[in-house]
Amino acid sequence: MTYAVPEIPATGSVLLANATVPSAVTNGTLNHIGDGLGRADILLEQGEIAAIAPPGLLDRRDGVTVVDLDGGLVLPGFVDMHTHLDKGHIWPRRPNPDGTFPGALEAVSADRPARWTAADLRRRMDFALRCAHAHGTVMIRTHLDSIPPQDDISWPVFAEIRQEWMDRIELQASALYGVESLLMPGFLDRIADTVKKTGGTLGAVTYMVEGLEGHIDALFRAAAERGLDLDFHVDETADPQARSLALIAEGALRNRFEGRIVCGHCCSLARQDADEVDRTLDLVAQAGIGVVSLPLCNMYLMDRQAGRTPRWRGVTLLHEMKARGIPVAVASDNTRDPFYAYGDLDMVEVFTQATRILHFDHPSGDWIRTVTTTPASLLGDPTRGRIDAGLAADLVLFRARNWNELCARPSGPRQVLRAGIALERTLPDYRELDDLMEP
């Protein structure tokens, strides 16, 4: 017996019959089968989803090719809302010496000024995007290291690549630098203007430095003046005294900020006492902040000590946030670089590992939103990550029929459709980058 996904014709109308679809990603009518899943037929015409209905209800007229999926799972194209394309794939030439967070900072700080030319960035970023595309991702936000002079290299390269990839992956960028960089005269205006010019998002890495509240206010003002959204790296540490998430929420309320706000990591929250957690989450909910957890990277970095088994998982409190109505997502973060030695920008792997690490199961319910509808909305494009009539037929088809089968065999057969056309899922060979990896 073979375990291939059925072939999809390249032309004409196609009816995907007997599909299993998560109710969380569609407004269409399904025959519900439990655990947030239902059965449906999906009609594809001219690159769009023409209709979705319970099996057998759509007209199987002449000229429509019927493809029986036999209960195979159909998901929308994935949204990876927190990545670092500029760092990706430097591991072979600049590995983390000990797997720790300081080791990662040291390795990247050495590699960036020595190697991050426009040509180097372009090839590594394009390689990473080809991986994501083959895996079924349709939208990505990358953070770009933006300390001068790197900002003058990375942002123009990103703008070119975004244009080149616009028909395959919708790309966004967010500025990345330590919040203490705001002490440099003129820095905030410089980077905020670059972000505005390129159509990006303003951000910073926040930690408990002197004057943090003033820095947060300055970022909110700079973003509001330019109509920018904000995306922060927050409290990526095991130190329970790291509480910049609460300060950002207070800053959003104090400044009456009207743009979208995302906070990534928020690891230290899981180390704080219940009263502090409740106070912080109440503020985050009131401020309308979305939170993205990066389970692969933070499992790798957090609580690492040589010769000692880690005592905690490094992830933030997504269940408690979701219960308060806080939008929550998960994403890839780093890929084959000193902050995370592995990964391939495969959101099926991310979701599977998040399910295991964060207990997105028993029941699985609507947790698939964390890689589809929720990040799409947080990034400002709610048409992504959905399966509905009138939307592009950007779908990922699986032989797996339910969450258990998907997570048990995440590398199992899948077929990626873009505008209803099946991709040839050929992953780029790591050897393509060999000449960039010499020490």
Side-chain angles (χ1 to χ4, degrees), residues 67-126:
V67 178
D68 190 346
L69 298 185
D70 189 29
L73 189 63
V74 177
L75 298 180
F78 303 111
V79 180
D80 201 349
M81 69 172 295
H82 182 125
T83 69
H84 293 265
L85 297 178
D86 58 351
K87 293 184 177 71
H89 300 284
I90 67 171
W91 178 270
R93 74 186 189 209
R94 194 72 68 168
N96 188 322
D98 56 10
T100 65
F101 198 99
L105 289 173
E106 178 183 352
V108 170
S109 295
D111 196 69
R112 186 194 307 113
R115 304 294 292 271
W116 290 21
T117 63
D120 176 71
L121 285 168
R122 168 176 285 281
R123 286 184 56 190
R124 291 188 290 103
M125 292 172 74
D126 183 77

Side-chain angles (χ1 to χ4, degrees), residues 64-342:
V64 175
T65 301
V66 178
V67 178
D68 190 346
L69 298 185
D70 189 29
L73 189 63
V74 177
L75 298 180
F78 303 111
V79 180
D80 201 349
M81 69 172 295
H82 182 125
T83 69
H84 293 265
L85 297 178
D86 58 351
K87 293 184 177 71
H89 300 284
I90 67 171
W91 178 270
R93 74 186 189 209
R94 194 72 68 168
N96 188 322
D98 56 10
T100 65
F101 198 99
L105 289 173
E106 178 183 352
V108 170
S109 295
D111 196 69
R112 186 194 307 113
R115 304 294 292 271
W116 290 21
T117 63
D120 176 71
L121 285 168
R122 168 176 285 281
R123 286 184 56 190
R124 291 188 290 103
M125 292 172 74
D126 183 77
F127 183 95
L129 289 170
R130 284 187 284 141
C131 296
H133 187 238
H135 290 310
T137 294
V138 297
M139 188 177 189
I140 289 176
R141 175 178 285 174
T142 181
H143 296 268
L144 297 177
D145 284 18
S146 296
I147 293 295
Q150 190 60 48
D151 56 335
D152 282 339
I153 302 172
S154 296
W155 282 88
V157 169
F158 168 79
E160 293 172 2
I161 290 178
R162 179 178 58 191
Q163 182 67 27
E164 293 167 8
W165 275 84
M166 62 182 298
D167 294 331
R168 291 169 287 175
I169 297 178
E170 181 179 342
L171 291 173
Q172 296 184 3
S174 183
L176 184 69
Y177 47 84
V179 70
E180 76 281 0
S181 300
L182 301 189
L183 294 172
M184 295 189 296
F187 173 78
L188 180 54
D189 284 336
R190 170 190 170 113
I191 191 58
D193 288 343
T194 296
V195 169
K196 174 66 175 177
K197 177 182 177 182
T198 316
T201 301
L202 195 59
V205 183
T206 61
Y207 26 74
M208 305 304 289
V209 298
E210 184 178 353
L212 179 57
E213 293 92 335
H215 293 325
I216 289 171
D217 284 340
L219 283 161
F220 276 113
R221 286 195 300 269
E225 289 167 359
R226 295 165 176 83
L228 301 173
D229 293 332
L230 285 162
D231 192 333
F232 296 96
H233 279 57
V234 179
D235 298 332
E236 193 176 3
T237 174
D239 182 1
Q241 299 305 311
R243 297 174 178 176
S244 63
L245 177 59
L247 296 180
I248 290 169
E250 290 172 345
L253 296 169
R254 181 170 59 248
N255 288 276
R256 300 180 181 179
F257 187 70
E258 297 182 355
R260 286 181 290 267
I261 309 168
V262 172
C263 290
H265 297 289
C266 309
C267 304
S268 65
L269 188 69
R271 310 281 285 178
Q272 295 167 5
D273 61 47
D275 289 343
E276 182 67 20
V277 167
D278 285 341
R279 186 185 81 85
T280 297
L281 293 188
D282 287 345
L283 286 167
V284 171
Q286 186 180 356
I289 294 172
V291 174
V292 55
S293 181
L294 297 312
L296 281 71
C297 181
N298 286 137
M299 279 281 284
Y300 176 79
L301 287 175
M302 295 292 105
D303 203 25
R304 182 185 287 269
Q305 297 180 34
R308 171 185 174 274
T309 303
R311 304 292 197 267
W312 74 299
R313 299 183 178 213
V315 290
T316 196
L317 306 181
L318 290 199
H319 287 267
E320 293 80 356
M321 292 175 179
K322 186 169 180 279
R324 279 177 165 79
I326 297 167
V328 295
V330 294
S332 292
D333 206 7
N334 298 73
T335 305
R336 293 186 74 232
D337 69 35
F339 285 92
Y340 182 57
Y342 315 109

Side-chain angles (χ1 to χ4, degrees), residues 3 51 61 73 88 298 335 366 379 415:
Y3 293 93
R61 62 187 183 276
L73 189 63
N298 286 137
T335 305
D366 65 354
L379 298 189
Q415 179 67 73

